[in-house]
Amino acid sequence: MELIQSNRCFNGEQRIYKINSKSLKGESKFGIYLPKKALNGEACPALFFLAGLTCTEETFAIKAHAQQLAAQLNLILITPDTSPRGENVEQGDHWDIGQGAGFYINAMQAPWSEHFQMETFVADELYSLVNQEFLIEQNRIGIFGHSMGGHGALTLALKYPEKFKSVSAFAPICAPSQCPWGEKAFSNYLGENKTEWLKHDATALVEEKGALFTDILIDQGLKDQFYSQLNPALFEQSCKRAGQKLTLREHEGYDHGYYFIQSFIEDHLKFHHAQLHA
């Protein structure tokens, strides 16, 4: 683990690390915000944030404006990259497949399967690494994300409730098996067996797993240019059938971008802080 950037931020530090990932078979980067309490050697709760299509480990740190409240709440923020990177990694033919578009799943088909093991990277490798290298309070780790990363946050939380105690999302891809983004990614990464797709679909997973969390928070803009791809209503219906409490808030005038995230980031950090300390 090599520190490649560190910036003072609200009396804490925003850092970028480079690692040689076994699961991705190559170099990867992740960001981490450490509040002052963590720098002083005291354990803090942590949140994983999974970013969306085309983003990197830096996008949330630069655009979301989350560090000020994270410093006040003593929350560590962990931001992995969205895919494997490098000259030997398949690039893809468009912005919604390949590098920058890992979908937080483990690919099963060539040429993707060699490097695109993002589920294992986030939920096992990076999860273990940050717990070894930083003082994180046991059983106080949450996960949230945006768009493709919202899909990742929901699905990883539902698959690994023993690791993630709280979950929320901004404009998540709620039913990737039923939208063009998900159909393209899943057919390339997983193959044509749609039964396999459902293992990585939050709308299907919540019905399979049942009620695992006290609450799930989703914020969705109603002026979102990608609304037709996101299907929050399908996830809401599945949560009702599963008995899983969902707070779905839809906002007039807000689109899909980071101004939307900035507008509601405080609510999400406070939501996780309350859930992690319940």
Side-chain angles (χ1 to χ4, degrees):
M1 191 172 77
E2 179 186 350
L3 178 64
I4 59 175
Q5 183 178 329
S6 179
N7 300 93
R8 194 73 170 168
C9 186
F10 296 105
N11 292 316
E13 287 185 15
Q14 178 66 54
R15 298 178 180 176
I16 302 291
Y17 284 94
K18 179 170 65 176
I19 62 173
N20 186 24
S21 168
K22 292 182 180 179
S23 50
L24 303 183
K25 295 184 179 178
E27 182 182 291
S28 187
K29 297 176 184 176
F30 72 93
I32 186 166
Y33 177 70
L34 299 168
K36 183 178 180 181
K37 183 177 178 181
L39 295 178
N40 289 339
E42 298 182 61
C44 296
L47 295 179
F48 280 74
F49 180 86
L50 307 184
L53 288 162
T54 75
C55 294
T56 73
E57 74 286 342
E58 287 188 293
T59 309
F60 178 82
I62 294 169
K63 291 186 172 183
H65 301 178
Q67 291 93 339
Q68 184 173 16
L69 184 58
Q72 295 171 13
L73 298 177
N74 294 310
L75 289 171
I76 294 171
L77 304 176
I78 300 157
T79 55
D81 198 354
T82 53
S83 78
R85 306 278 180 176
E87 293 181 2
N88 296 324
V89 176
E90 187 72 17
Q91 176 60 52
D93 59 1
H94 202 230
W95 61 276
D96 57 357
I97 191 79
Q99 293 192 38
F103 271 82
Y104 305 102
I105 63 176
N106 288 340
M108 300 171 62
Q109 290 205 136
W112 312 102
S113 54
E114 182 177 3
H115 297 284
F116 281 74
Q117 302 293 309
M118 286 299 295
E119 178 177 336
T120 297
F121 175 69
V122 173
D124 292 335
E125 186 176 9
L126 184 59
Y127 187 97
S128 297
L129 179 67
V130 295
N131 275 283
Q132 292 167 7
E133 298 292 335
F134 303 98
L135 290 172
I136 295 175
E137 287 191 53
Q138 295 298 305
N139 301 317
R140 286 186 175 171
I141 299 176
I143 190 167
F144 66 144
H146 169 231
S147 192
M148 176 187 73
H151 141 76
L154 293 173
T155 56
L156 294 184
L158 290 166
K159 292 179 192 180
Y160 303 98
E162 74 282 3
K163 294 186 175 184
F164 301 109
K165 188 178 178 181
S166 59
V167 57
S168 72
F170 297 93
I173 305 172
C174 292
S177 297
Q178 302 181 56
C179 75
W181 277 342
E183 290 169 357
K184 182 175 182 178
F186 285 8
S187 61
N188 276 273
Y189 295 152
L190 302 174
E192 297 300 331
N193 182 357
K194 294 190 176 182
T195 301
E196 194 67 35
W197 296 12
L198 297 179
K199 298 176 183 178
H200 311 282
D201 184 307
T203 294
L205 279 170
V206 74
E207 291 206 52
E208 176 192 342
K209 303 291 185 179
L212 296 176
F213 299 94
T214 305
D215 194 6
I216 296 173
L217 172 63
I218 291 178
D219 277 305
Q220 175 63 60
L222 291 177
K223 200 178 178 180
D224 191 318
Q225 61 270 44
F226 302 114
Y227 189 86
S228 64
Q229 299 248 34
L230 305 177
N231 292 311
L234 294 180
F235 186 67
E236 183 179 35
Q237 292 164 14
S238 286
C239 284
K240 286 180 180 178
R241 287 192 290 267
Q244 171 61 61
K245 183 181 178 183
L246 170 68
T247 300
L248 172 61
R249 310 191 304 182
E250 295 187 309
H251 306 277
E252 293 286 349
Y254 285 92
D255 61 19
H256 196 71
Y258 268 82
Y259 293 118
F260 161 60
I261 293 176
Q262 288 175 23
S263 300
F264 301 103
I265 188 65
E266 288 194 7
D267 292 348
H268 283 250
L269 295 187
K270 290 176 180 177
F271 170 83
H272 283 278
H273 185 264
Q275 296 288 313
L276 294 177
H277 288 86

